[in-house]
Amino acid sequence: QTMFVTFEGIEGCGKSTQCRLLGQWLEAQGFDVLMSREPGGSPLGARIREILLSREFEGMSPECELLLYLADRAQHVDTVIRPALGGGRAVLVDRFADSTVAYQGFGRGISLETLDSLNRLAVKDLWPELTVVIDVPVQLGLERARSRNFELGTSHSEGRFEAETLDFHSSIRQGYLELAAAHPERCSVVNGQGSESEIFAEIRDAVIRRFGLESPGSS
Ligand code: TYD
């Protein structure tokens, strides 16, 4: 069995931290882990990421934005994710196809059918076996994202969407919850309001259940 897990949620939900914690835990269980992210999970994708997150192109058209995320994904799947899974590695990715549905669909208003067919083109049947959706209230997520950017200094990109309104981010959050409800076989929604270790415990349990691992303390 392969292990392909993606992390999703609004800005500041804590997914990058949780992705790292899961990676460390899986390594301690003996897995060979590859951690990656979108956009920017391949060398070509890193260049696309620069374009997407640079201030210079803040006003790009929504369709251009969409196709750049998809181009990044196609390259990532073909050159990084598929080979790693083929080599028996556990692959954890911070954002994947669901981000496109949440941001470009629920956020920007591009039709979900269009997104579905473009995602299919990019992933070619390689869907995550588990998608962890970390759910937090929009206010909390944005506060966290802003204080993180502040700590990193003003040179750090705010991301394409951090200046958007609360309404925009509420649509994204809602989009994730609808996606999770539509794909219960692979999506687990985790409450992101607890402490790092509480949230991690929930994610670890979801992984144990999904992949039939032996839970710590059960033997
Ligand atoms: P990043 O700095 O990685 O933000 P985060 O830490 O919140 O993941 O920037 C990625 C941004 O790209 C983020 O605002 C979400 C957005 N995004 C999309 O709009 N569509 C997509 O398909 C993906 C993968 C990301």
Side-chain angles (χ1 to χ4, degrees):
Q1 189 190 6
T2 56
M3 188 183 287
F4 179 20
V5 181
T6 59
F7 285 80
E8 297 282 359
I10 64 169
E11 332 278 308
C13 70
K15 66 191 161 37
S16 309
T17 304
Q18 293 298 331
C19 187
R20 188 165 35 76
L21 290 174
L22 181 62
Q24 288 165 357
W25 183 77
L26 286 170
E27 274 173 358
Q29 311 300 303
F31 286 89
D32 179 9
V33 178
L34 174 78
M35 288 199 265
S36 193
R37 67 168 176 185
E38 288 190 0
S42 66
L44 189 156
R47 305 275 277 273
I48 294 178
R49 182 183 174 88
E50 282 173 21
I51 296 174
L52 280 166
L53 300 186
S54 103
R55 287 258 154 79
E56 199 184 344
F57 304 121
E58 258 169 5
M60 77 171 65
S61 84
E63 290 74 21
C64 176
E65 175 189 82
L66 165 67
L67 293 170
L68 287 174
Y69 282 114
L70 266 299
D72 171 73
R73 180 161 309 127
Q75 183 73 4
H76 191 207
V77 167
D78 256 24
T79 65
V80 176
I81 300 178
R82 207 183 287 279
L85 290 170
R89 305 183 74 184
V91 177
L92 312 184
V93 182
D94 187 344
R95 296 197 181 284
F96 194 63
D98 299 313
S99 279
T100 306
V101 177
Y103 283 80
Q104 279 65 51
F106 287 81
R108 297 278 195 231
I110 296 174
S111 95
L112 300 187
E113 297 86 85
T114 301
L115 299 183
D116 194 52
S117 58
L118 288 172
N119 263 332
R120 282 165 196 272
L121 177 71
V123 312
K124 288 185 286 194
D125 282 332
L126 193 73
W127 291 95
E129 292 150 284
L130 174 65
T131 296
V132 177
V133 176
I134 305 186
D135 184 52
V136 292
V138 168
Q139 296 270 15
L140 176 65
L142 291 184
E143 260 166 45
R144 284 190 192 157
R146 285 187 186 126
S147 62
R148 172 190 61 197
N149 289 342
F150 182 73
E151 280 164 25
L152 291 170
T154 44
S155 64
H156 182 75
S157 160
E158 296 247 304
R160 291 194 69 72
F161 303 97
E162 277 168 35
E164 293 280 353
T165 60
L166 282 182
D167 273 3
F168 181 89
H169 290 280
S170 300
S171 310
I172 313 258
R173 180 187 184 197
Q174 190 53 37
Y176 275 126
L177 296 176
E178 286 186 27
L179 260 171
H183 300 282
E185 71 297 345
R186 71 172 168 89
C187 293
S188 260
V189 179
V190 168
N191 179 355
Q193 289 181 89
S195 69
E196 250 174 55
S197 57
E198 283 165 347
I199 300 166
F200 179 64
E202 262 194 66
I203 295 174
R204 190 197 53 207
D205 289 347
V207 169
I208 289 170
R209 262 182 274 119
R210 180 69 184 85
F211 296 98
L213 308 182
E214 201 143 294
S215 72
S218 74
S219 59

